[in-house]
Amino acid sequence: MNVGEWAAVIGAAGSLLGGGGFFVARATVKAARATAAAQQAAALATAAPAQQAANLAVLEATVRRVDEENGALRGEQARFRSLLRAFAWTVDRWAGQMHRAGIEPEPVHPLVEEYNRTGV
């Protein structure tokens, strides 16, 4: 029996008892609400593990993607540092050649001077 059928049965019984139908109908509505709330809570409890598994799958995929991106960025950064060192070495060599030829090069930028001093 569904909630509507129960309400009809209880309403009929209440009217037979004489005027108690209102209170019975009110109790039936409250019972129906309580049943609906319990069914909703049970559905949520049943769905929670599946939702957590889906959330975990999304998180794992995101972590894998970020790890791949970080690996690629680390590779690019290492290559850029190598290129910067090679460029600094080349420019230093050219400046030395200019000094030996009696040509005074323009002063280097402060960031270049810092890099030559510290390597960072």
Side-chain angles (χ1 to χ4, degrees):
M1 256 188 193
N2 65 27
V3 174
E5 292 171 344
W6 277 106
V9 169
I10 293 173
S15 65
L16 287 176
L17 294 175
F22 172 76
F23 296 108
V24 172
R26 201 166 129 195
T28 303
V29 170
K30 287 183 180 180
R33 286 182 185 154
T35 302
Q39 288 174 345
Q40 184 179 12
L44 288 175
T46 303
Q51 183 62 42
Q52 286 180 343
N55 290 345
L56 181 60
V58 169
L59 179 61
E60 288 173 342
T62 303
V63 168
R64 274 193 303 276
R65 181 184 53 81
V66 168
D67 283 347
E68 290 171 5
E69 289 175 0
N70 283 344
L73 288 173
R74 285 186 193 111
E76 289 177 16
Q77 187 178 20
R79 176 72 178 133
F80 182 73
R81 284 180 180 166
S82 297
L83 178 65
L84 180 61
R85 285 187 200 104
F87 182 76
W89 179 79
T90 301
V91 171
D92 187 54
R93 215 171 25 107
W94 289 343
Q97 288 174 343
M98 290 176 74
H99 280 299
R100 287 190 298 277
I103 303 170
E104 187 61 35
E106 292 187 26
V108 297
H109 190 277
L111 290 175
V112 174
E113 180 62 36
E114 180 182 350
Y115 176 80
N116 286 336
R117 228 181 29 257
T118 64
V120 179

